[in-house]
Amino acid sequence: MARVFVITGPSGVGKGTLISGLMRQLPQLELSVSATTRAPRTGERDGVQYHFLSNEEFDRLEAQGGFVEHANYAGRRYGTLRSELERRVQEGVPIVLEIEVQGARQVRASMPDALQVFIAPPSLAVLRERLVGRGTDDPAEVARRLEVAQDELAAQSEFSHVIVNDELEQAQRELVALVQQALQGGEPLD
Ligand code: 5GP
């Protein structure tokens, strides 16, 4: 029975929004709070959206084996903390990881039973509009993220579950149905 849910896909595709809706509808799920070396955005708080670390702190944790997976993304480091995962896995609490593609690959290798879902945009043009429109990143950062997105989109065939986030409500329904079915121990639909 899948207990670890990996939600991946390019930045700006709507992973965060879809995951918020998923957690509201399936409140037994818990979200893993990742570590990152990027600076907090306005309104982000340490320990809530991320554990914000210096490069040295990240290095130290990495050396101690503190990460389940970690990756460089657009010049910053991101990683899933072992401490976020272990207790929940032991207690059978289902956990959601919102991570980029390199991290998803590492989880696939170490936890093959985790259910992985790739969220795709309807097109690269729509992704660009969303990244610009959400206004969280300056133009240089948007450009970096779009460049990474091209590689990420090329990787979507690696994932057995792909949800196209064209119409939010539809994508939301598909994600909830997939996770719900996996929680109930059924074979996930392809
Ligand atoms: P953002 O800077 O927009 O919060 O995140 C940038 C990218 O890093 C997003 O695609 C996000 O899903 C991903 N990310 C967030 N936390 C982690 C993590 O712990 N590991 C990995 N590999 N990627 C992460």
Side-chain angles (χ1 to χ4, degrees):
M1 197 192 309
R3 284 290 175 192
V4 177
F5 297 92
V6 174
I7 313 295
T8 192
S11 176
V13 78
K15 300 191 293 281
T17 306
L18 287 168
I19 289 172
S20 299
L22 178 70
M23 314 280 300
R24 266 197 308 277
Q25 292 189 54
L26 301 175
Q28 68 269 46
L29 295 170
E30 293 188 10
L31 187 62
S32 164
V33 179
S34 295
T36 184
T37 62
R38 85 148 161 75
R41 295 180 181 132
T42 311
E44 286 186 334
R45 285 189 296 135
D46 189 35
V48 180
Q49 285 79 17
Y50 281 106
H51 299 283
F52 293 100
L53 304 183
S54 66
N55 257 312
E56 293 67 33
E57 289 168 325
F58 202 100
D59 280 340
R60 207 171 315 129
L61 266 171
E62 187 183 335
Q64 291 166 358
F67 290 113
V68 173
E69 61 74 32
H70 59 90
N72 282 313
Y73 172 88
R76 300 290 174 190
R77 299 158 83 190
Y78 295 81
T80 301
L81 295 163
R82 203 168 288 286
S83 55
E84 289 282 311
L85 220 76
E86 265 172 0
R87 175 187 62 81
R88 274 115 166 190
V89 168
Q90 274 160 20
E91 293 175 2
V93 176
I95 182 164
V96 175
L97 312 185
E98 188 215 311
I99 60 179
E100 51 69 77
V101 166
Q102 303 167 70
R105 287 192 180 118
Q106 294 170 43
V107 174
R108 191 191 304 140
S110 61
M111 284 183 268
D113 290 341
L115 184 81
Q116 299 221 353
V117 187
F118 186 97
I119 312 293
S123 69
L124 198 58
V126 169
L127 187 68
R128 180 181 296 111
E129 274 168 34
R130 289 185 189 164
L131 269 173
V132 172
R134 76 178 185 182
T136 41
D137 303 294
D138 64 38
E141 182 66 25
V142 168
R144 270 195 294 277
R145 285 172 182 244
L146 280 171
E147 206 177 304
V148 178
Q150 307 202 29
D151 290 336
E152 294 184 314
L153 290 175
Q156 68 180 280
S157 58
E158 293 173 19
F159 295 87
S160 48
H161 303 286
V162 176
I163 294 177
V164 179
N165 187 13
D166 187 359
E167 209 266 299
L168 178 65
E169 279 178 23
Q170 171 65 23
Q172 187 74 76
R173 273 195 298 276
E174 288 176 31
L175 181 62
V176 170
L178 189 59
V179 172
Q180 202 160 30
Q181 194 178 22
L183 283 171
Q184 286 162 357
E187 277 297 304
L189 298 168
D190 280 323

